Amino acid sequence: MQQQYVETAPGVRLWTERRGDPEAPALLLVMGAQASGLGWPDALVDALAARHQVIRYDHRDTGRSTTAFDQHPYPITDLARDAVAVLDGLGVEKAHLVGMSLGGMLTQLVLADHPERVLSATLIGTCALSETLYKALDGTQVPVGELPGIAPEVLEMWSRPVEDKGPEAELDRRVEHWRVLNGDQLPAEDAYFRDLEARIIAHTGTHVASTAHARADDSHMLRTDELADSKVPTLVISGPAEPVFPPPHPHHLAQVIGGGGARVVEIAGMGHALPPAVQGPLAEAILTHTDAVRA
């Protein structure tokens, strides 16, 4: 395991970690909003590192990376540029990209804007950056704005102000957040997520949560034509208990990318989280996808 800081923009340094054979094909893990790279579970990272040089990193305003937003606000699209800059800083010409939630959107931006850097893409718990209509099984064409929205219980949590009430209260808040995101098909893993978030807090050096990504400008993210023209092999993970971008969002993504050339794999019981129960099946799906590209 190797840790390194990479400068991705003037005054911006991102923490990175690499595991696995440095001669193996690189695989870049791109986490979601406000999420440290440690949000990718160690067991999942190690499973992927059996066949890849796996890179995970802290976005700006997360983990050990530069806290910059309040002094120098940036748009969400800069986070996608950071992903490419991480590859540059580590001397990686091309990589498999795996993105979750906002990280799935950032992966789409890289896929659209820098396809020459992407060996394959895997998209988890995200929505298409496209205005292409969704074609339902009965042939009906559905506008993107009419696809199912975020579950009310998630919206309620996200509407609450994030207040500093001390480390233990912050851990309680984060565990409750994961309980809601986990969905209703797998048992709650409160102890697992409490341990995960305690390690993230120790890694970060503070329990105070940032809200930078929620405040960042999210305009200029649509890539309808570029995604339709994509030739990059793409896997879309579908979670039947997904409360943020529920089905049929994964199938819409698959229709949008490469003119319908993306593949969908469902992970049983999966919501918008990575508890132990989904890590093995998810690693298998990703490795099957990257192996096929390699072959």
Side-chain angles (χ1 to χ4, degrees):
M1 181 174 66
Q2 181 178 355
Q3 299 181 31
Q4 179 179 336
Y5 284 92
V6 170
E7 184 172 349
T8 61
V12 177
R13 291 197 320 156
L14 303 188
W15 173 89
T16 72
E17 178 201 84
R18 286 181 280 178
R19 296 191 189 191
D21 182 355
E23 299 302 318
L27 187 152
L28 180 69
L29 298 171
V30 188
M31 241 303 154
Q34 307 303 158
S36 159
L38 267 62
W40 294 103
D42 286 346
L44 176 62
V45 175
D46 287 339
L48 298 175
R51 297 183 214 171
H52 291 281
Q53 177 191 181
V54 179
I55 303 163
R56 60 180 176 175
Y57 69 99
D58 291 338
H59 293 297
R60 305 182 192 194
D61 290 279
T62 74
R64 296 179 179 175
S65 293
T66 299
T67 299
F69 187 84
D70 288 336
Q71 292 76 32
H72 303 286
Y74 50 80
I76 293 293
T77 49
D78 274 6
L79 299 180
R81 296 186 184 95
D82 282 347
V84 176
V86 165
L87 297 180
D88 291 340
L90 298 178
V92 175
E93 182 180 353
K94 295 184 177 184
H96 300 276
L97 265 62
V98 179
M100 181 167 183
S101 194
L102 176 64
M105 299 179 196
L106 302 180
T107 297
Q108 290 177 70
L109 290 174
V110 178
L111 187 66
D113 298 345
H114 300 281
E116 74 284 355
R117 307 299 298 273
V118 187
L119 292 169
S120 78
T122 299
L123 306 173
I124 307 167
T126 193
C127 66
L129 301 181
S130 171
E131 294 178 314
T132 302
L133 300 177
Y134 167 64
K135 297 177 183 178
L137 291 176
D138 63 1
T140 305
Q141 294 195 332
V142 182
V144 177
E146 295 180 14
L147 293 178
I150 302 170
E153 58 268 27
V154 176
L155 289 174
E156 191 278 327
M157 277 215 70
W158 287 355
S159 70
R160 300 178 196 171
V162 178
E163 300 173 342
D164 181 5
K165 297 181 179 179
E168 287 303 313
E170 176 60 18
L171 275 173
D172 291 342
R173 185 190 70 83
R174 296 188 190 191
V175 169
E176 182 187 3
H177 188 214
W178 283 120
R179 191 183 306 132
V180 171
L181 292 180
N182 196 54
D184 58 5
Q185 295 189 20
L186 294 174
E189 295 276 3
D190 288 3
Y192 170 80
F193 284 113
R194 193 174 193 88
D195 178 69
L196 172 68
E197 289 296 341
R199 287 188 286 114
I200 289 172
I201 287 172
H203 168 77
T204 304
T206 178
H207 67 277
V208 178
S210 171
T211 59
H213 298 168
R215 292 180 284 138
D217 179 5
D218 62 358
S219 61
H220 307 297
M221 291 179 64
L222 283 176
R223 296 292 188 276
T224 301
D225 293 339
E226 295 88 345
L227 292 174
D229 292 339
S230 175
K231 302 297 190 294
V232 175
T234 300
L235 170 67
V236 182
I237 299 297
S238 177
E242 169 66 57
V244 179
F245 298 112
H249 279 283
H251 291 86
H252 179 233
L253 260 171
Q255 292 174 4
V256 159
I257 297 174
R263 189 166 61 95
V264 178
V265 170
E266 181 176 295
I267 303 296
M270 187 171 180
H272 198 78
L274 299 174
V278 309
Q279 293 170 21
L282 181 58
E284 181 180 357
I286 295 170
L287 290 174
T288 298
H289 178 55
T290 60
D291 283 352
V293 173
R294 192 173 185 177

